[in-house]
Amino acid sequence: MTDMRIQANYSLKNHNTFHIDVKAHYLVEIEKQSDITTLRSDLKLAALPWMIIGGGSNLLFTHDLEKVVVSCRFKKIKVVKEDEDNIWLSVGAGLDWHTFVEYTVDHGYWGLENLALIPGTVGAAPVQNIGAYGAEAEDTITRVQTLNLFNGERREFRHSDCQFGYRQSIFKTEYENSLLVHRVTFRLRKAHAGHPNLYYEPLKEALNDRDKTELTSRDVFDAIVEIRQKRLPDPRIYGNAGSFFKNPIVSEEYFQKLVEKHGDIPYHKMLDNQYKIPAAWLIEQAGWKGKKCLNKTVGVSEKHALFLVNYGGANGEDIVMLSQRIREDIDHMFGIHLEREVIVLK
Ligand code: EPU
């Protein structure tokens, strides 16, 4: 067990971006396939349920975990294929996402620059199909290699097998806590063959004074970093897990009813005539933006209403309670039931 770490009674405070201080019965870090069979043969580990954790940027812990918490430590980047215009990189799931995005723009590759500064690991990208500023992980992912947590078996998924959706994939549903993402393959465009994705209006505006034909992926990356730093609370300072709720999707008929009652509502029209409404807008309208409660330990960020924040010393239940109160208000005011994006471990 030379390159495997097993830690007992381990505080997860630095393994979740809400900075909630709970303990895992065991934390194990896996590097390669054979680590799983070795760990499974350890009876004290095999007797407990196993749970996978990435960067903990989408999780809310509410109590100590009588579990084996598994994280992937494999971090290598390997070129698997290239042609004149494209490069395929296979990347270890344990690598920090932003570090990888920065590596790609340093090499001039296009494809991931809009996803800069998203907290978490490469392995979480396909699980959650992370997305921001007009891009989603699934736009560039071609293959996902997994390890079965019960027997170590390898399995490779092609893009079409992953059942990607809005913050959704098969790794979160059918294979939750049974398949560990080990490597992810991305197809990126080489410097000369790519172009900026300026679909997100504020990004386009930020780059307005630039000649679009001369932009590099590094320029777009820098603009995204600036936008995020300005508009979103930094999880290293104010514990949070990004968007707490998903943006709700309503029918055209219901959307019209809402407009009659509430006036102009920002929206994004979907291909199937449905309307996606920013949950942040609903939460702000309900008066929650910038509010603090429970002795100011928890609250809704004053920068962005979709971010619930641990201002210090809050526990997971406090944040759940705040989220329930917000949900009730949105239900009551708009007849919309917000669905959590963050996974709460009860
Ligand atoms: N808005 C408000 N009040 C606020 C913030 C936003 O009313 O405090 C309204 C504005 O009308 C704004 C609209 O909400 O135009 C949309 O806001 P924003 O562009 O910040 O995006 P979002 O819908 O709140 C989504 C993703 C983010 C991603 C951004 C940018 C979800 C649940 N969230 O947020 O992803 O970074 O778009 O593309 O889809 C995450 O998933 O954790 C995440 C941060």
Side-chain angles (χ1 to χ4, degrees):
M1 291 201 192
T2 46
D3 50 7
M4 251 184 304
R5 285 194 223 141
I6 305 176
Q7 310 195 64
N9 228 357
Y10 185 84
S11 168
L12 295 169
K13 191 166 181 190
N14 295 324
H15 288 257
N16 72 101
T17 55
F18 265 123
H19 313 313
I20 304 290
D21 194 3
V22 297
K23 287 198 174 70
H25 210 95
Y26 294 102
L27 177 86
V28 300
E29 294 182 300
I30 286 169
E31 176 109 30
K32 56 186 188 309
Q33 185 182 25
S34 60
D35 293 346
I36 293 178
T37 36
T38 314
L39 288 166
R40 277 283 171 196
S41 65
D42 183 328
L43 292 181
K44 68 178 186 303
L45 298 179
L48 291 168
W50 289 25
M51 182 200 133
I52 301 167
I53 186 174
S57 56
N58 203 43
L59 288 178
L60 178 55
F61 295 125
T62 55
H63 55 76
D64 290 344
L65 302 174
E66 278 301 302
K67 292 180 182 184
V68 177
V69 172
V70 182
S71 98
C72 181
R73 203 146 65 89
F74 183 56
K75 296 182 179 172
K76 286 210 179 89
I77 302 179
K78 205 170 91 187
V79 175
V80 285
K81 188 163 105 174
E82 67 182 296
D83 62 23
E84 205 183 316
D85 295 336
N86 304 288
I87 185 140
W88 283 259
L89 299 177
S90 161
V91 190
L95 186 62
D96 171 66
W97 174 258
H98 181 72
T99 306
F100 171 53
V101 174
E102 186 146 38
Y103 167 96
T104 65
V105 300
D106 282 346
H107 286 75
Y109 305 143
W110 291 94
L112 299 180
E113 59 284 353
N114 291 36
L115 302 178
L117 225 52
I118 295 183
T121 56
V122 166
V127 177
Q128 174 70 359
N129 187 19
I130 55 171
Y133 308 110
E136 280 186 334
E138 70 151 311
D139 305 338
T140 47
I141 291 174
T142 57
R143 306 257 163 163
V144 179
Q145 270 95 6
T146 63
L147 298 175
N148 185 309
L149 272 192
F150 295 92
N151 56 22
E153 239 168 53
R154 282 182 215 277
R155 183 162 164 197
E156 180 174 88
F157 290 74
R158 285 169 305 187
H159 180 282
S160 55
D161 304 327
C162 297
Q163 297 182 8
F164 286 125
Y166 171 48
R167 301 293 187 274
Q168 203 52 263
S169 78
I170 201 164
F171 311 110
K172 240 180 122 167
T173 50
E174 207 173 324
Y175 297 117
E176 187 192 19
N177 291 329
S178 66
L179 297 187
L180 174 77
V181 173
H182 188 233
R183 278 184 289 144
V184 185
T185 308
F186 298 86
R187 188 191 70 136
L188 304 172
R189 305 285 283 171
K190 291 184 176 172
H192 69 271
H195 56 84
N197 166 0
L198 303 179
Y199 171 83
Y200 185 80
E201 204 51 45
L203 174 64
K204 198 163 144 191
E205 277 162 31
L207 293 165
N208 236 350
D209 53 347
R210 303 286 300 271
D211 177 351
K212 302 288 172 296
T213 59
E214 294 204 333
L215 283 177
T216 64
S217 57
R218 170 54 87 167
D219 295 328
V220 178
F221 171 95
D222 288 340
I224 293 283
V225 167
E226 207 182 313
I227 291 177
R228 289 189 76 104
Q229 283 173 343
K230 206 157 47 185
R231 293 178 171 218
L232 308 179
D234 183 342
R236 286 169 306 181
I237 305 166
Y238 302 109
N240 74 75
S243 302
F244 197 89
F245 300 102
K246 291 185 183 180
N247 286 331
I249 297 169
V250 300
S251 67
E252 182 159 24
E253 195 190 349
Y254 195 70
F255 182 76
Q256 296 309 343
K257 275 198 191 137
L258 288 174
V259 171
E260 274 167 37
K261 193 162 166 208
H262 300 279
D264 271 353
I265 299 179
Y267 65 90
H268 172 70
K269 195 163 178 196
M270 319 274 289
L271 290 174
D272 51 5
N273 268 346
Q274 294 196 304
Y275 286 70
K276 199 191 246 184
I277 304 176
W281 185 86
L282 300 172
I283 296 169
E284 184 169 345
Q285 296 305 303
W288 279 105
K289 190 170 179 174
K291 273 218 175 135
K292 290 185 179 170
C293 21
L294 299 171
N295 274 333
K296 304 194 174 159
T297 53
V298 294
V300 176
S301 167
E302 73 280 358
K303 282 187 156 182
H304 198 297
L306 201 45
F307 283 59
L308 305 198
V309 177
N310 172 10
Y311 287 105
N315 63 41
E317 286 298 350
D318 297 338
I319 294 166
V320 171
M321 205 191 305
L322 171 64
S323 76
Q324 297 296 19
R325 286 174 60 191
I326 295 172
R327 252 183 173 174
E328 281 163 22
D329 280 2
I330 304 301
D331 262 336
H332 188 71
M333 215 170 142
F334 298 100
I336 290 178
H337 190 65
L338 292 180
E339 196 188 324
R340 275 196 292 258
E341 179 180 323
V342 168
I343 295 164
V344 177
L345 279 134
K346 291 263 185 196

